[in-house]
Amino acid sequence: MQSSDQEVLQRASDWLQQGYAAHLFTVIQTWGSAPRLPGAILVVREDGHLVGSVSGGCIEDDLADKARHQALPEQAAIMEYGVNQAEAQRFGIPCGGQIKIFCEPLSHAAQLVPMLQSLAQRRLLKRSVNLQSGEVQHQYVLPEGQPYLEDDWFHSYFGPQWRLLIIGANQLGSILAAMAQALDFHVMICDPREEMRAEWHVEGADWLPGMPDDVVLEIRPDLHTAIVAVTHDPKLDDMALLEALKSQAFYIGALGAAKNQEKRKQRLRSFDLSEQEVNRLHGPVGLRIGSRTPAEIAVSILAELIQQRAQVQQAGLAQTVSSQTGKTRNVA
C-alpha cells in the first residue's frame, strides 16, 4: 500500500510526463490551530487540478486559482496565509492559525524521481532546495524532525519517519500491517513460527527472521519506533517486550485482557526491568472503543498509536522551535 506522499508525488509525476507544469507546496511551519502538520504536501497543476493538501480548506482553492491565472511564483518561494484575522477568516483557517508554505515550480518528472525512489525503498530522504539558485540536494538520513529553513535553504523529508514492529503474523497482525502502511508507518513483521511465515501475504511489510528479542535489538528502536506484540503467546510476546521496554520506542503495546496484562507485568518484574520500564507497557493494547473483531482491534491500536505519535510530534516541534531561537536554523 502506497503512503499518502507517494500517491501525491506519483500523480504529479504522471502530470509532468503528460506535458503539464505544476507546483509543489510543502508546509514549513504552522501556528495556532492550523489543520495540517509541517511536511504536508500538495501539488497543483497549471490548470488548477490538485492532489494532496496543505490546509484541508480554502488555501488549496486559492492556490488552484492562482495556478489557472499564472500567478504562482516562477522560482522557489515562501508563501504565508493567515497573517491577519481577515485573511484567516477568508481562507477558513481556525482561530489564530497561520501557515507558512514552501512553493517550488515543477517542469520535469525527473525532479520527483529521488523522492519517489526513497518512498518506494522505504528510506528517509532529506531534500534541500536553495531559494536563490534553485539548486536541489538529496541525502539519505536518519529521522531528524520537522522541515526547516536555514539561511537560503529549505530542508524537507520524504520517506518513513515512523516504524512499527509487529510481533505476530496472525490475522490481527496482517490487518494491522496493512492499515498501518496507510498511516505512513514502515511496517516490520517478526514471527519465528514457520507455519505463520508460509501464510503471510501482506505486501509492503518487511519480514524480519529470527526470535522476537533478537529482532528488537537488531532494529535499534528509537523515538520514531512503535512495537506491538499480538501473538497472544507469552513465550513470544514477552521475549520482545523484555527488550522493547528498555528501548527508546515511543509506544510499546501487547494484546491481552487486563487480568492477563497484570500477570505479564508480574513476569516482567522478575527480570531486570525497573518499575518505570514495566509501566511503559500499553496493555490491554489500543484505545477502549469496544472493539472485538481483529479489524476493530487493529483500529483501536492504530488510534492509540496516532495519539501517541501526535504527542511525540508536538514535543519535537516545540523542541525544534525552542532550540533554533536566535540561530541560523530558523523556523519562525
Side-chain angles (χ1 to χ4, degrees), residues 13-39:
S13 178
D14 294 341
W15 289 342
L16 294 169
Q17 291 181 51
Q18 293 166 10
Y20 291 99
H23 282 76
L24 170 64
F25 300 91
T26 307
V27 176
I28 302 173
Q29 188 180 6
T30 66
W31 294 263
S33 302
R36 296 302 307 274
L37 291 172

PDB file of all heavy atoms in Angstrom, residues 13-39:
ATOM      1  N   SER A  13       3.962  13.170 -10.958  1.00  0.00           N
ATOM      2  CA  SER A  13       4.877  12.669 -11.984  1.00  0.00           C
ATOM      3  C   SER A  13       4.124  12.341 -13.268  1.00  0.00           C
ATOM      4  O   SER A  13       4.596  12.638 -14.376  1.00  0.00           O
ATOM      5  CB  SER A  13       5.610  11.431 -11.459  1.00  0.00           C
ATOM      6  OG  SER A  13       6.464  10.899 -12.449  1.00  0.00           O
ATOM      7  N   ASP A  14       2.955  11.748 -13.138  1.00  0.00           N
ATOM      8  CA  ASP A  14       2.130  11.436 -14.314  1.00  0.00           C
ATOM      9  C   ASP A  14       1.784  12.709 -15.075  1.00  0.00           C
ATOM     10  O   ASP A  14       1.851  12.748 -16.316  1.00  0.00           O
ATOM     11  CB  ASP A  14       0.857  10.713 -13.894  1.00  0.00           C
ATOM     12  CG  ASP A  14       1.130   9.329 -13.310  1.00  0.00           C
ATOM     13  OD1 ASP A  14       2.230   8.790 -13.551  1.00  0.00           O
ATOM     14  OD2 ASP A  14       0.246   8.804 -12.610  1.00  0.00           O
ATOM     15  N   TRP A  15       1.397  13.750 -14.345  1.00  0.00           N
ATOM     16  CA  TRP A  15       1.047  15.022 -14.989  1.00  0.00           C
ATOM     17  C   TRP A  15       2.244  15.606 -15.745  1.00  0.00           C
ATOM     18  O   TRP A  15       2.108  16.062 -16.888  1.00  0.00           O
ATOM     19  CB  TRP A  15       0.579  16.029 -13.941  1.00  0.00           C
ATOM     20  CG  TRP A  15      -0.766  15.737 -13.350  1.00  0.00           C
ATOM     21  CD1 TRP A  15      -1.728  14.916 -13.861  1.00  0.00           C
ATOM     22  CD2 TRP A  15      -1.297  16.266 -12.124  1.00  0.00           C
ATOM     23  NE1 TRP A  15      -2.826  14.900 -13.037  1.00  0.00           N
ATOM     24  CE2 TRP A  15      -2.593  15.710 -11.974  1.00  0.00           C
ATOM     25  CE3 TRP A  15      -0.811  17.129 -11.148  1.00  0.00           C
ATOM     26  CZ2 TRP A  15      -3.402  16.024 -10.876  1.00  0.00           C
ATOM     27  CZ3 TRP A  15      -1.609  17.441 -10.065  1.00  0.00           C
ATOM     28  CH2 TRP A  15      -2.894  16.894  -9.931  1.00  0.00           C
ATOM     29  N   LEU A  16       3.401  15.588 -15.104  1.00  0.00           N
ATOM     30  CA  LEU A  16       4.591  16.162 -15.732  1.00  0.00           C
ATOM     31  C   LEU A  16       4.982  15.384 -16.984  1.00  0.00           C
ATOM     32  O   LEU A  16       5.390  15.974 -17.992  1.00  0.00           O
ATOM     33  CB  LEU A  16       5.741  16.178 -14.733  1.00  0.00           C
ATOM     34  CG  LEU A  16       5.550  17.110 -13.520  1.00  0.00           C
ATOM     35  CD1 LEU A  16       6.613  16.846 -12.470  1.00  0.00           C
ATOM     36  CD2 LEU A  16       5.573  18.569 -13.946  1.00  0.00           C
ATOM     37  N   GLN A  17       4.833  14.069 -16.949  1.00  0.00           N
ATOM     38  CA  GLN A  17       5.138  13.255 -18.126  1.00  0.00           C
ATOM     39  C   GLN A  17       4.143  13.517 -19.254  1.00  0.00           C
ATOM     40  O   GLN A  17       4.477  13.326 -20.429  1.00  0.00           O
ATOM     41  CB  GLN A  17       5.124  11.780 -17.744  1.00  0.00           C
ATOM     42  CG  GLN A  17       6.271  11.369 -16.829  1.00  0.00           C
ATOM     43  CD  GLN A  17       6.251   9.895 -16.490  1.00  0.00           C
ATOM     44  OE1 GLN A  17       6.163   9.046 -17.373  1.00  0.00           O
ATOM     45  NE2 GLN A  17       6.324   9.576 -15.213  1.00  0.00           N
ATOM     46  N   GLN A  18       2.953  13.962 -18.914  1.00  0.00           N
ATOM     47  CA  GLN A  18       1.942  14.297 -19.916  1.00  0.00           C
ATOM     48  C   GLN A  18       2.138  15.688 -20.502  1.00  0.00           C
ATOM     49  O   GLN A  18       1.392  16.098 -21.392  1.00  0.00           O
ATOM     50  CB  GLN A  18       0.547  14.187 -19.299  1.00  0.00           C
ATOM     51  CG  GLN A  18       0.156  12.767 -18.923  1.00  0.00           C
ATOM     52  CD  GLN A  18      -1.072  12.713 -18.017  1.00  0.00           C
ATOM     53  OE1 GLN A  18      -1.762  13.723 -17.808  1.00  0.00           O
ATOM     54  NE2 GLN A  18      -1.350  11.540 -17.467  1.00  0.00           N
ATOM     55  N   GLY A  19       3.138  16.424 -19.988  1.00  0.00           N
ATOM     56  CA  GLY A  19       3.447  17.743 -20.541  1.00  0.00           C
ATOM     57  C   GLY A  19       2.933  18.917 -19.736  1.00  0.00           C
ATOM     58  O   GLY A  19       3.123  20.076 -20.143  1.00  0.00           O
ATOM     59  N   TYR A  20       2.276  18.661 -18.619  1.00  0.00           N
ATOM     60  CA  TYR A  20       1.794  19.750 -17.777  1.00  0.00           C
ATOM     61  C   TYR A  20       2.936  20.289 -16.912  1.00  0.00           C
ATOM     62  O   TYR A  20       3.868  19.578 -16.564  1.00  0.00           O
ATOM     63  CB  TYR A  20       0.680  19.274 -16.842  1.00  0.00           C
ATOM     64  CG  TYR A  20      -0.620  18.922 -17.532  1.00  0.00           C
ATOM     65  CD1 TYR A  20      -0.946  17.598 -17.815  1.00  0.00           C
ATOM     66  CD2 TYR A  20      -1.536  19.907 -17.882  1.00  0.00           C
ATOM     67  CE1 TYR A  20      -2.135  17.263 -18.429  1.00  0.00           C
ATOM     68  CE2 TYR A  20      -2.737  19.586 -18.512  1.00  0.00           C
ATOM     69  CZ  TYR A  20      -3.034  18.258 -18.773  1.00  0.00           C
ATOM     70  OH  TYR A  20      -4.216  17.938 -19.380  1.00  0.00           O
ATOM     71  N   ALA A  21       2.815  21.550 -16.515  1.00  0.00           N
ATOM     72  CA  ALA A  21       3.656  22.126 -15.478  1.00  0.00           C
ATOM     73  C   ALA A  21       2.868  22.100 -14.173  1.00  0.00           C
ATOM     74  O   ALA A  21       1.636  21.989 -14.176  1.00  0.00           O
ATOM     75  CB  ALA A  21       4.054  23.554 -15.830  1.00  0.00           C
ATOM     76  N   ALA A  22       3.570  22.196 -13.055  1.00  0.00           N
ATOM     77  CA  ALA A  22       2.890  22.132 -11.760  1.00  0.00           C
ATOM     78  C   ALA A  22       3.751  22.810 -10.702  1.00  0.00           C
ATOM     79  O   ALA A  22       4.884  23.230 -10.971  1.00  0.00           O
ATOM     80  CB  ALA A  22       2.620  20.671 -11.369  1.00  0.00           C
ATOM     81  N   HIS A  23       3.190  22.943  -9.514  1.00  0.00           N
ATOM     82  CA  HIS A  23       3.922  23.483  -8.366  1.00  0.00           C
ATOM     83  C   HIS A  23       3.776  22.516  -7.191  1.00  0.00           C
ATOM     84  O   HIS A  23       2.689  21.980  -6.958  1.00  0.00           O
ATOM     85  CB  HIS A  23       3.383  24.858  -7.957  1.00  0.00           C
ATOM     86  CG  HIS A  23       3.852  25.979  -8.827  1.00  0.00           C
ATOM     87  ND1 HIS A  23       3.345  26.213 -10.092  1.00  0.00           N
ATOM     88  CD2 HIS A  23       4.807  26.940  -8.610  1.00  0.00           C
ATOM     89  CE1 HIS A  23       3.945  27.264 -10.616  1.00  0.00           C
ATOM     90  NE2 HIS A  23       4.829  27.733  -9.743  1.00  0.00           N
ATOM     91  N   LEU A  24       4.876  22.326  -6.489  1.00  0.00           N
ATOM     92  CA  LEU A  24       4.881  21.512  -5.274  1.00  0.00           C
ATOM     93  C   LEU A  24       4.880  22.444  -4.062  1.00  0.00           C
ATOM     94  O   LEU A  24       5.731  23.335  -3.961  1.00  0.00           O
ATOM     95  CB  LEU A  24       6.122  20.617  -5.239  1.00  0.00           C
ATOM     96  CG  LEU A  24       6.406  19.862  -3.934  1.00  0.00           C
ATOM     97  CD1 LEU A  24       5.305  18.853  -3.630  1.00  0.00           C
ATOM     98  CD2 LEU A  24       7.771  19.175  -4.004  1.00  0.00           C
ATOM     99  N   PHE A  25       3.932  22.228  -3.154  1.00  0.00           N
ATOM    100  CA  PHE A  25       3.818  23.038  -1.940  1.00  0.00           C
ATOM    101  C   PHE A  25       4.067  22.145  -0.723  1.00  0.00           C
ATOM    102  O   PHE A  25       3.521  21.041  -0.635  1.00  0.00           O
ATOM    103  CB  PHE A  25       2.433  23.679  -1.836  1.00  0.00           C
ATOM    104  CG  PHE A  25       2.100  24.592  -2.981  1.00  0.00           C
ATOM    105  CD1 PHE A  25       1.446  24.099  -4.109  1.00  0.00           C
ATOM    106  CD2 PHE A  25       2.444  25.935  -2.950  1.00  0.00           C
ATOM    107  CE1 PHE A  25       1.138  24.937  -5.172  1.00  0.00           C
ATOM    108  CE2 PHE A  25       2.151  26.782  -4.014  1.00  0.00           C
ATOM    109  CZ  PHE A  25       1.493  26.280  -5.130  1.00  0.00           C
ATOM    110  N   THR A  26       4.877  22.630   0.209  1.00  0.00           N
ATOM    111  CA  THR A  26       5.192  21.897   1.435  1.00  0.00           C
ATOM    112  C   THR A  26       4.969  22.807   2.633  1.00  0.00           C
ATOM    113  O   THR A  26       5.462  23.945   2.646  1.00  0.00           O
ATOM    114  CB  THR A  26       6.653  21.414   1.437  1.00  0.00           C
ATOM    115  OG1 THR A  26       6.919  20.676   0.238  1.00  0.00           O
ATOM    116  CG2 THR A  26       6.924  20.526   2.642  1.00  0.00           C
ATOM    117  N   VAL A  27       4.244  22.327   3.628  1.00  0.00           N
ATOM    118  CA  VAL A  27       4.049  23.105   4.846  1.00  0.00           C
ATOM    119  C   VAL A  27       5.370  23.177   5.603  1.00  0.00           C
ATOM    120  O   VAL A  27       5.946  22.145   5.952  1.00  0.00           O
ATOM    121  CB  VAL A  27       2.952  22.489   5.742  1.00  0.00           C
ATOM    122  CG1 VAL A  27       2.841  23.276   7.053  1.00  0.00           C
ATOM    123  CG2 VAL A  27       1.608  22.483   5.015  1.00  0.00           C
ATOM    124  N   ILE A  28       5.843  24.402   5.852  1.00  0.00           N
ATOM    125  CA  ILE A  28       7.076  24.610   6.607  1.00  0.00           C
ATOM    126  C   ILE A  28       6.791  24.658   8.098  1.00  0.00           C
ATOM    127  O   ILE A  28       7.420  23.986   8.906  1.00  0.00           O
ATOM    128  CB  ILE A  28       7.765  25.919   6.184  1.00  0.00           C
ATOM    129  CG1 ILE A  28       8.071  25.929   4.695  1.00  0.00           C
ATOM    130  CG2 ILE A  28       9.038  26.134   7.010  1.00  0.00           C
ATOM    131  CD1 ILE A  28       8.599  27.265   4.196  1.00  0.00           C
ATOM    132  N   GLN A  29       5.812  25.492   8.458  1.00  0.00           N
ATOM    133  CA  GLN A  29       5.504  25.686   9.870  1.00  0.00           C
ATOM    134  C   GLN A  29       4.068  26.159  10.004  1.00  0.00           C
ATOM    135  O   GLN A  29       3.517  26.796   9.091  1.00  0.00           O
ATOM    136  CB  GLN A  29       6.439  26.714  10.508  1.00  0.00           C
ATOM    137  CG  GLN A  29       6.293  26.813  12.029  1.00  0.00           C
ATOM    138  CD  GLN A  29       7.215  27.835  12.638  1.00  0.00           C
ATOM    139  OE1 GLN A  29       7.904  28.559  11.929  1.00  0.00           O
ATOM    140  NE2 GLN A  29       7.228  27.919  13.963  1.00  0.00           N
ATOM    141  N   THR A  30       3.448  25.826  11.110  1.00  0.00           N
ATOM    142  CA  THR A  30       2.097  26.287  11.414  1.00  0.00           C
ATOM    143  C   THR A  30       2.078  26.899  12.807  1.00  0.00           C
ATOM    144  O   THR A  30       2.886  26.567  13.665  1.00  0.00           O
ATOM    145  CB  THR A  30       1.079  25.137  11.363  1.00  0.00           C
ATOM    146  OG1 THR A  30       1.364  24.196  12.409  1.00  0.00           O
ATOM    147  CG2 THR A  30       1.118  24.425  10.013  1.00  0.00           C
ATOM    148  N   TRP A  31       1.139  27.808  13.003  1.00  0.00           N
ATOM    149  CA  TRP A  31       0.908  28.404  14.309  1.00  0.00           C
ATOM    150  C   TRP A  31      -0.570  28.260  14.650  1.00  0.00           C
ATOM    151  O   TRP A  31      -1.427  28.283  13.761  1.00  0.00           O
ATOM    152  CB  TRP A  31       1.262  29.891  14.317  1.00  0.00           C
ATOM    153  CG  TRP A  31       2.705  30.203  14.118  1.00  0.00           C
ATOM    154  CD1 TRP A  31       3.642  30.464  15.074  1.00  0.00           C
ATOM    155  CD2 TRP A  31       3.407  30.322  12.868  1.00  0.00           C
ATOM    156  NE1 TRP A  31       4.865  30.719  14.506  1.00  0.00           N
ATOM    157  CE2 TRP A  31       4.744  30.647  13.150  1.00  0.00           C
ATOM    158  CE3 TRP A  31       3.021  30.183  11.528  1.00  0.00           C
ATOM    159  CZ2 TRP A  31       5.700  30.837  12.164  1.00  0.00           C
ATOM    160  CZ3 TRP A  31       3.956  30.366  10.548  1.00  0.00           C
ATOM    161  CH2 TRP A  31       5.286  30.688  10.856  1.00  0.00           C
ATOM    162  N   GLY A  32      -0.875  28.122  15.911  1.00  0.00           N
ATOM    163  CA  GLY A  32      -2.274  28.049  16.318  1.00  0.00           C
ATOM    164  C   GLY A  32      -2.928  26.758  15.884  1.00  0.00           C
ATOM    165  O   GLY A  32      -2.344  25.680  15.961  1.00  0.00           O
ATOM    166  N   SER A  33      -4.143  26.858  15.368  1.00  0.00           N
ATOM    167  CA  SER A  33      -4.967  25.685  15.082  1.00  0.00           C
ATOM    168  C   SER A  33      -4.950  25.292  13.606  1.00  0.00           C
ATOM    169  O   SER A  33      -5.940  24.804  13.083  1.00  0.00           O
ATOM    170  CB  SER A  33      -6.414  25.956  15.525  1.00  0.00           C
ATOM    171  OG  SER A  33      -6.463  26.270  16.891  1.00  0.00           O
ATOM    172  N   ALA A  34      -3.826  25.538  12.912  1.00  0.00           N
ATOM    173  CA  ALA A  34      -3.738  25.130  11.509  1.00  0.00           C
ATOM    174  C   ALA A  34      -3.942  23.619  11.402  1.00  0.00           C
ATOM    175  O   ALA A  34      -3.418  22.855  12.209  1.00  0.00           O
ATOM    176  CB  ALA A  34      -2.382  25.525  10.934  1.00  0.00           C
ATOM    177  N   PRO A  35      -4.717  23.161  10.395  1.00  0.00           N
ATOM    178  CA  PRO A  35      -5.135  21.757  10.353  1.00  0.00           C
ATOM    179  C   PRO A  35      -4.096  20.756   9.881  1.00  0.00           C
ATOM    180  O   PRO A  35      -4.251  19.562  10.099  1.00  0.00           O
ATOM    181  CB  PRO A  35      -6.316  21.786   9.378  1.00  0.00           C
ATOM    182  CG  PRO A  35      -6.061  22.972   8.507  1.00  0.00           C
ATOM    183  CD  PRO A  35      -5.374  23.983   9.375  1.00  0.00           C
ATOM    184  N   ARG A  36      -3.026  21.174   9.202  1.00  0.00           N
ATOM    185  CA  ARG A  36      -2.030  20.224   8.714  1.00  0.00           C
ATOM    186  C   ARG A  36      -0.687  20.467   9.386  1.00  0.00           C
ATOM    187  O   ARG A  36      -0.329  21.591   9.711  1.00  0.00           O
ATOM    188  CB  ARG A  36      -1.862  20.318   7.191  1.00  0.00           C
ATOM    189  CG  ARG A  36      -3.102  19.943   6.389  1.00  0.00           C
ATOM    190  CD  ARG A  36      -3.592  18.524   6.681  1.00  0.00           C
ATOM    191  NE  ARG A  36      -2.577  17.506   6.549  1.00  0.00           N
ATOM    192  CZ  ARG A  36      -2.266  16.898   5.408  1.00  0.00           C
ATOM    193  NH1 ARG A  36      -2.880  17.223   4.293  1.00  0.00           N
ATOM    194  NH2 ARG A  36      -1.334  15.965   5.397  1.00  0.00           N
ATOM    195  N   LEU A  37       0.087  19.395   9.557  1.00  0.00           N
ATOM    196  CA  LEU A  37       1.382  19.482  10.215  1.00  0.00           C
ATOM    197  C   LEU A  37       2.480  19.842   9.213  1.00  0.00           C
ATOM    198  O   LEU A  37       2.326  19.646   8.002  1.00  0.00           O
ATOM    199  CB  LEU A  37       1.717  18.145  10.866  1.00  0.00           C
ATOM    200  CG  LEU A  37       0.880  17.734  12.075  1.00  0.00           C
ATOM    201  CD1 LEU A  37       1.205  16.294  12.465  1.00  0.00           C
ATOM    202  CD2 LEU A  37       1.135  18.671  13.245  1.00  0.00           C
ATOM    203  N   PRO A  38       3.610  20.380   9.695  1.00  0.00           N
ATOM    204  CA  PRO A  38       4.754  20.613   8.807  1.00  0.00           C
ATOM    205  C   PRO A  38       5.133  19.335   8.069  1.00  0.00           C
ATOM    206  O   PRO A  38       5.119  18.245   8.628  1.00  0.00           O
ATOM    207  CB  PRO A  38       5.860  21.042   9.788  1.00  0.00           C
ATOM    208  CG  PRO A  38       5.126  21.677  10.923  1.00  0.00           C
ATOM    209  CD  PRO A  38       3.871  20.858  11.067  1.00  0.00           C
ATOM    210  N   GLY A  39       5.459  19.506   6.778  1.00  0.00           N
ATOM    211  CA  GLY A  39       5.796  18.360   5.941  1.00  0.00           C
ATOM    212  C   GLY A  39       4.668  17.928   5.028  1.00  0.00           C
ATOM    213  O   GLY A  39       4.888  17.196   4.059  1.00  0.00           O
TER     214      GLY A  39
END
